[in-house]
Amino acid sequence: NEEIKTAIKELKQLQEIIFAFDNDDAGNKAVEKYSNEFKEILPNIILSKLVLPEGEDINSTSLAHQSEIFTHLLETRLFFSTEQGAPAGNNFSVEKENIPSGKIKNTINETSVKLNSTEPIKQSGLDTKNPYKIIYQTLSATYYIQGGVDKQLNRMQITLVTENKDHYKSRNRVDLYDDKQVERICKEVAEKLNVRKDLLEADMYKLTDLLDHYRDAELLNNKDSEAPKNEQYPLTTVERQQIETLLKKPKLIEKITELLGKAGIVGEERNRIFLLIIAISYKMPETLHALIQGSSGSGKTRLLKQISDCIPQEKVTKLTRLSDKVLYNYPERFFVNRLLCLEDIDGLSEEAEFAFRELQSNGELNSATSIKLDNGQITSGQKTVKGPIASLACTTRGEIYEDNMSRVFLIAVDESQEQTKRIINYQNQKSAGEIDYKKEAQVRKFMQNLVRTIQPYEVINPYANKIQLPEDAHKIRRLNDLFQSFIKQITIINQYQRKKTEQGKLITELEDIATAIDILFESIVLKVDELDGSLRQFFEKLKSFVEKKSKHFEFTRFEVRQATGLGKTQQHHYISKLLELEYLQQYGFQNRGFKYKIVQWDNYTALREKIKTHLQNQLNKLQTEHQPNANRTPEKGVRLVESQ
């Protein structure tokens, strides 16, 4: 059936398909039917069949014979011919020299290797199990090719170890394409190992042909491995039903947030669903990106890893660092619809940062470069790496990435005392053995299958002109584009509950806009605020400490460390930034110790309230105007909620 065919097509290490159908007319016709199908979809796979006793199936054969019957059947199986013009119904031929079990992958046809075909393969003695120590054995001697085969097509330079029957060895470096060199080596080895020179020369020329075929096959396999793989993971009926049932439930985003908590993500309720939605956008033509800000040790990298673990792993690339040119050297379609996660972008060079930024914005990298051809010649060429990608990245100093910040959503890690207590409690439960890791792994697997089920759609937002972001937001043009894309992403996640146009496009509902505003609120505030997320959290703690004394209270760095609990290095960075932005003023002399005073008492609470009211009023107006025509009644109590 189709499920079995799909499963077979996705076997990455598949080498051969062996049919073991009943030996009757129906069985033979079935073999012919399915072998023709597999010949079309898997042209590089070997096809064969077992010849069971006439009129018997695999079960009756097992009952009527000794177990050795199956070894015999495998050794005498018939191989399928894929030559053009082979007559129908006569596609199998018996081979006198059959392939030993388990040797298919590492056997090279001595007489007639044909690339891209599944012709019968005969044993050659060329053992390529270890590609860096290839073995060729003849009646005269045993040959070891140490270090593998040269990939340059204009030569066959190898390190050859020749061993005679008495286990004496001769070691030489030789270019098999140079007849004079081969003849000289054979003469020297023959004298040293007491082996006939003419036999050595015959072995050498035969070995050259075998290595030629082997290298051609390897180059073809490498080329195929660079091609984009449409990997599929078929779901069982039960798994599909469970996922579709969830996707059809109301308040879907809340339920997914709860699942993320069960997957081991402690706290960060709004950030975790925000990041997951951004990560899921890897499947869409318009992808999203996030920059996670937090001080050292705040858990930002762990949060990134936990979110990426909920995405199908075949579509995730997680990197710790990038060298200058590495993104330009990936296969052309490697990053197409893929999630790229960078654990720390603080150490990126300017060149690597530029490449990452261009892949985010343009979805493509193009570079003129020098290319060394397989024949050794150097020529000019163009390297192209295509996207689009979705991306998640972490940083402790987000303010230095001005160009990047306008392209991404800013997310500040929760560094509050309450979140610290939640994390410590989880760590204690983990040490006490109270955390069920199997359940967490099952939830992550369920989330991966849920993401696989969500399909990309075009989205129509009939309310796009009715919601305006705050005009004083930083780089409002790009922020508005990100905002509209995020609403589309919410609609796509709710695809099982949304109506479609005649052209098959999903229609956004007011509920999607309300959910997007609620989740995006903190990021919008960060875009409006002059201070980045981590710096804002530090400054608010500092203001609370000073207000308890007096607004004109002068404080030392030591008092700040006591009040905020931050280390000396991180505190120095924050204070230096606040001095630069003129939020603080410095007094005194260095030899006596500086003192500081807050001179810019911005009203951050009023700023948040202003933005919240601005967006909520527009949303309320839309709900009132479109209530009669709405596809469903918006959920009661859908309002912007202050994060804890």
Side-chain angles (χ1 to χ4, degrees), residues 367-394:
S367 62
T369 182
S370 297
I371 296 177
K372 191 171 187 179
L373 303 178
D374 292 336
N375 60 12
Q377 294 181 349
I378 296 178
T379 183
S380 61
Q382 179 172 306
K383 282 281 293 181
T384 300
V385 179
K386 294 186 177 181
I389 64 164
S391 67
L392 304 177
C394 297

Side-chain angles (χ1 to χ4, degrees), residues 166-209:
D166 297 326
H167 304 294
Y168 289 103
K169 297 180 180 180
S170 174
R171 297 172 175 85
N172 299 278
R173 181 165 296 191
V174 57
D175 186 350
L176 296 179
Y177 281 179
D178 188 335
D179 286 347
K180 291 183 179 179
Q181 192 178 144
V182 171
E183 186 177 353
R184 178 179 57 80
I185 293 294
C186 288
K187 181 179 179 180
E188 294 175 359
V189 173
E191 293 175 355
K192 182 177 182 179
L193 301 182
N194 194 25
V195 180
R196 284 173 51 184
K197 176 175 174 290
D198 60 330
L199 295 179
L200 288 176
E201 288 181 346
D203 288 348
M204 287 291 218
Y205 290 124
K206 194 174 292 185
L207 175 61
T208 303
D209 290 339

Side-chain angles (χ1 to χ4, degrees), residues 26-146:
N28 292 330
K29 288 180 180 179
V31 170
E32 183 177 350
K33 172 186 175 183
Y34 293 119
S35 61
N36 287 332
E37 290 187 17
F38 283 121
K39 186 166 59 174
E40 293 292 330
I41 60 179
L42 298 170
N44 297 323
I45 301 301
I46 298 172
L47 300 172
S48 62
K49 76 169 183 178
L50 303 186
V51 183
L52 303 179
E54 188 172 353
E56 292 192 16
D57 59 20
I58 198 76
N59 187 51
S60 62
T61 302
S62 174
L63 296 174
H65 299 81
Q66 297 291 332
S67 60
E68 288 78 10
I69 184 66
F70 293 111
T71 303
H72 171 73
L73 290 174
L74 284 169
E75 290 178 347
T76 59
R77 65 189 182 276
L78 302 183
F79 288 86
F80 191 74
S81 172
T82 60
E83 289 191 6
Q84 297 293 331
N90 189 27
N91 292 333
F92 288 92
S93 59
V94 179
E95 291 298 318
K96 293 181 180 179
E97 295 178 46
N98 294 286
I99 304 175
S101 177
K103 295 291 184 180
I104 297 170
K105 184 176 181 182
N106 299 312
T107 306
I108 303 298
N109 188 347
E110 183 172 31
T111 58
S112 59
V113 171
K114 292 186 179 180
L115 299 179
N116 287 326
S117 74
T118 53
E119 292 228 349
I121 297 176
K122 299 179 181 178
Q123 186 174 6
S124 67
L126 188 62
D127 184 353
T128 60
K129 286 181 181 178
N130 182 354
Y132 301 104
K133 187 177 182 179
I134 299 172
I135 303 173
Y136 176 56
Q137 191 169 14
T138 69
L139 296 175
S140 307
T142 302
Y143 305 89
Y144 302 92
I145 295 87
Q146 303 280 29

